[in-house]
Amino acid sequence: MAKLSRRSFFKLMTATAGATVVSQGAETKKVAAQTKRLREKNSKQTRVVVVGGGMGGLTVAESIKANDPDNKIEVIVLERNAHYFTCPMSNTLFGEIEEVKKANIPFKYDYTLAEKNHNIDVIITEVIGADVKNKSITTTAGMIDYDYVVVAPGIDYNYKKLFPHWSDEKIRRAMKETPAAMYSDSGKEKQNLLNQLHAWRDNGGRGNFVIVPPKGGKVRCKPASYERACMVSEFIKKYKLPGKVVLLDSSPKPQSKGPKFIEIFIKHHKDTILFNGMSGDEMLKRIKDAGFTMENFKKKENFSKVEDNFATCNVKDVDFDKKEITYIYADNFDDDGKEQTIGYAVANLIPYHKGNETAKLFDVKRDGWGGIVCAPAKTYSVSDSTVYTAGDIMGYHKFNPSAQTSVSVGLLTGESIAKRILTGKDEIDLTKAGITCFSMVVAHPLKAIEISKDIIVTDKGVAKAANTRLAFRDGNGLIGWFQAIVETPFKY
Ligand SMILES: Cc1cc2nc3c(=O)[nH]c(=O)nc-3n(C[C@H](O)[C@H](O)[C@H](O)COP(=O)(O)OP(=O)(O)OC[C@H]3O[C@@H](n4cnc5c(N)ncnc54)[C@H](O)[C@@H]3O)c2cc1C
């Protein structure tokens, strides 16, 4: 792996787009040499640079090479972290799921095998600038030219949208003290939240583990907050803690896989999860009050009526010193709500998501969320067909950000890039991609909820999900899915 020691050079550099590197003496020569090394380009090969070595970017990189039998394409991945931490299934760490432990899943991967097995080059460096006109990228380790670029940096958090009145300092406190744990920063955020969970247990496990799901919009893995609630509930049961998981959701039902999560909350976590103040028994009572049973409330036409009788909790502010969250509690659809405050022992505050700011560096059209707007039925930018995109940052198409979509669309994108370079044909069939997402919800016996969808392409060339299927599955299926889909780009 080409390790360009980001740390030793980082301090010496001015980190602005297209910036001149400022340093002194021997270090200047070192930096200049590294800059030169990054720029070297083999004239016999077409170069594709991939920004972000996550689920989307790494899959595209490997797929290009899988479709390049004569080695005519050079693929270089630029990734800022030496290790990638896989978000899917990481919630099972909160539930200490035995089957996951037995499967020896490390969750953290480096790029050694990806490089060895796929003839790609991964450079550990941070992208800090781009000049699409001249097809060049600035990194903390130097500059690099490209013929095609694939922009795949994932998501960022949008605390400002959730709390416009918060200072930057308060946002920093939120990130540190109530981590969202929704992205891959080598696993630091997840470890922080796990450490807080363990410290809570060690101190007696009293009080609340509060989870605040994002308030909507385009969100990476919408079911993740509810899966996490189930896994923390399993932790509480395992250690017989007196505390509870409290979900404070602006929606009256889980925002994804809603009926199935409610069934699971009622049947398996009735005393350990409070969803918007409602225990399992309270939810069941409200279902019955609405005239339904456990068997028929999940039908589409019935579920919307049940929802109207469920409460909502709209978070307004957090006091980090007092460890209190203020929210507007509304008991049902007709209730305007009243302000309430809850104390927390541990809080997992998940703000709105937005496209990773790195995409901004590439001067192409982006949507209001920060996603790169693709050309109709394509995975390259509508403003520049040499700028491809992959993963959650992909705009225009209406995919829910997920690993499965990042991988399956990534495979098609890589194949399409290789064919375009090698044969001049610019083709991709996005209906061949797939959407499947599992959530682990019960530890004994292991149980998961699976959602799967087909992809259609509209007359306007918008690829989107259709034909949703929702089912309970043996949780070992999630482990198999993880090994087959999520681990594959890093291991095989
Ligand atoms: C808790 C949780 C559970 C999930 N469960 C599921 C699931 O069950 N099923 C499912 O399908 N999906 C799941 N997901 C979603 C899935 O993890 C994401 O959709 C997927 O990782 C998106 O891939 P990506 O390539 O867009 O982004 P990432 O995987 O985040 O990769 C982006 C990469 O870009 C790098 N990067 C960013 N900026 C720069 C820069 N300036 N320079 C260099 N590198 C940069 C980052 O370090 C990162 O490695 C889950 C997510 C979470 C958080």
Side-chain angles (χ1 to χ4, degrees):
M1 190 181 346
K3 278 196 182 135
L4 286 162
S5 179
R6 171 159 85 88
R7 274 160 225 87
S8 58
F9 294 104
F10 193 62
K11 290 181 203 140
L12 299 165
M13 304 203 173
T14 309
T16 53
T20 316
V21 173
V22 181
S23 59
Q24 290 174 347
E27 289 296 338
T28 310
K29 282 185 201 147
K30 238 171 160 185
V31 170
Q34 296 230 342
T35 303
K36 203 173 157 205
R37 194 149 79 98
L38 265 185
R39 287 186 69 94
E40 268 172 27
K41 189 165 159 349
N42 174 352
S43 60
K44 288 191 185 133
Q45 286 181 305
T46 302
R47 178 185 277 177
V48 182
V49 173
V50 179
V51 176
M55 295 309 307
L58 196 61
T59 303
V60 175
E62 294 178 358
S63 171
I64 293 171
K65 291 307 295 177
N67 290 281
D68 173 31
D70 299 324
N71 198 26
K72 293 199 164 147
I73 307 172
E74 179 191 27
V75 177
I76 299 171
V77 178
L78 306 175
E79 166 56 47
R80 64 182 168 196
N81 291 309
H83 290 92
Y84 181 78
F85 183 88
T86 54
C87 291
M89 224 172 65
S90 61
N91 282 332
T92 62
L93 296 170
F94 294 82
E96 299 189 347
I97 299 297
E98 284 305 319
E99 289 84 344
V100 175
K101 278 188 200 161
K102 276 187 205 137
N104 281 327
I105 288 166
F107 288 98
K108 232 176 170 181
Y109 305 83
D110 71 18
Y111 293 90
T112 317
L113 291 174
E115 286 189 307
K116 192 171 141 226
N117 296 340
H118 298 276
N119 192 17
I120 60 172
D121 193 14
V122 181
I123 300 177
I124 304 301
T125 186
E126 182 160 18
V127 171
I128 53 171
D131 177 354
V132 287
K133 232 181 182 174
N134 292 304
K135 296 192 172 183
S136 115
I137 293 170
T138 309
T139 78
T140 46
M143 311 269 285
I144 188 160
D145 295 327
Y146 64 82
D147 297 303
Y148 295 88
V149 65
V150 181
V151 183
I155 62 150
D156 265 336
Y157 298 136
N158 194 345
Y159 285 92
K160 282 277 178 208
K161 187 174 171 192
L162 184 59
F163 302 114
H165 56 290
W166 278 19
S167 65
D168 290 346
E169 173 54 25
K170 192 158 178 179
I171 290 172
R172 271 194 291 276
R173 279 195 77 175
M175 292 178 82
K176 202 169 151 207
E177 295 176 35
T178 58
M182 287 299 291
Y183 64 35
S184 174
D185 56 349
S186 270
K188 286 187 223 99
E189 270 194 306
K190 292 260 168 42
Q191 198 52 56
N192 177 355
L193 196 59
L194 278 167
N195 291 347
Q196 293 194 36
L197 177 74
H198 298 156
W200 181 48
R201 173 198 56 201
D202 297 345
N203 289 321
R206 277 172 288 277
N208 303 314
F209 188 114
V210 177
I211 299 178
V212 180
K215 278 192 190 173
K218 188 170 164 181
V219 169
R220 163 175 288 184
C221 193
K222 256 190 187 156
S225 325
Y226 312 102
E227 177 188 56
R228 194 170 287 163
C230 294
M231 291 296 97
V232 176
S233 165
E234 292 294 1
F235 184 89
I236 288 172
K237 287 191 260 178
K238 177 176 175 181
Y239 292 101
K240 300 187 172 42
L241 305 180
K244 291 199 188 310
V245 184
V246 175
L247 274 156
L248 298 180
D249 200 336
S250 59
S251 160
K253 58 167 185 190
Q255 295 168 43
S256 175
K257 308 176 181 173
K260 289 271 189 269
F261 269 115
I262 286 177
E263 182 177 345
I264 285 293
F265 292 168
I266 292 172
K267 286 189 176 163
H268 295 277
H269 306 287
K270 74 185 177 77
D271 299 320
T272 37
I273 294 182
L274 287 176
F275 177 70
N276 289 341
M278 301 174 292
S279 65
D281 286 346
E282 175 65 19
M283 278 187 267
L284 183 57
K285 180 179 173 300
R286 290 180 186 224
I287 286 169
K288 286 184 177 160
D289 288 350
F292 303 109
T293 64
M294 269 310 278
E295 282 65 49
N296 70 10
F297 88 91
K298 288 173 287 176
K299 282 190 182 163
K300 210 172 177 185
E301 62 274 22
N302 298 345
F303 191 59
S304 56
K305 291 179 193 140
V306 169
E307 254 178 78
D308 289 350
N309 288 336
F310 274 17
T312 54
C313 294
N314 214 332
V315 169
K316 289 286 158 206
D317 208 351
V318 182
D319 185 327
F320 294 104
D321 295 319
K322 290 187 184 160
K323 291 188 134 196
E324 283 178 357
I325 299 176
T326 307
Y327 58 96
I328 304 295
Y329 174 81
D331 193 34
N332 56 54
F333 184 70
D334 296 322
D335 183 6
D336 288 338
K338 55 184 175 301
E339 194 170 291
Q340 293 192 352
T341 296
I342 187 170
Y344 63 86
V346 185
N348 172 212
L349 173 66
I350 310 173
Y352 289 102
H353 295 180
K354 63 178 178 180
N356 187 295
E357 298 275 315
T358 302
K360 235 188 207 173
L361 306 173
F362 295 82
D363 196 16
V364 290
K365 190 173 176 188
R366 291 180 311 127
D367 58 28
W369 183 80
I372 292 179
V373 178
C374 291
K378 301 291 180 193
T379 54
Y380 52 69
S381 155
V382 69
S383 20
D384 183 338
S385 76
T386 63
V387 179
Y388 281 80
T389 183
D392 294 353
I393 198 85
M394 186 175 281
Y396 190 69
H397 304 302
K398 306 238 177 292
F399 298 129
N400 284 328
S402 75
Q404 174 82 49
T405 316
S406 303
V407 168
S408 63
V409 176
L411 285 168
L412 297 170
T413 298
E415 183 186 355
S416 170
I417 293 172
K419 276 202 182 136
R420 186 171 164 197
I421 292 169
L422 300 175
T423 69
K425 281 189 190 150
D426 175 15
E427 292 170 349
I428 189 165
D429 179 1
L430 289 170
T431 62
K432 285 186 181 162
I435 301 177
T436 307
C437 170
F438 290 87
S439 308
M440 197 73 91
V441 288
V442 180
H444 307 291
L446 207 57
K447 192 169 187 171
I449 305 173
E450 183 196 3
I451 195 166
S452 59
K453 301 172 186 184
D454 301 326
I455 292 178
I456 57 164
V457 178
T458 68
D459 295 346
K460 290 189 173 160
V462 178
K464 61 176 198 175
N467 310 325
T468 301
R469 297 168 292 273
L470 200 54
F472 286 120
R473 296 277 182 236
D474 182 325
N476 287 295
L478 168 51
I479 299 173
W481 170 84
F482 180 90
Q483 289 167 326
I485 303 292
V486 181
E487 272 196 323
T488 291
F490 299 90
K491 273 181 86 172
Y492 304 102

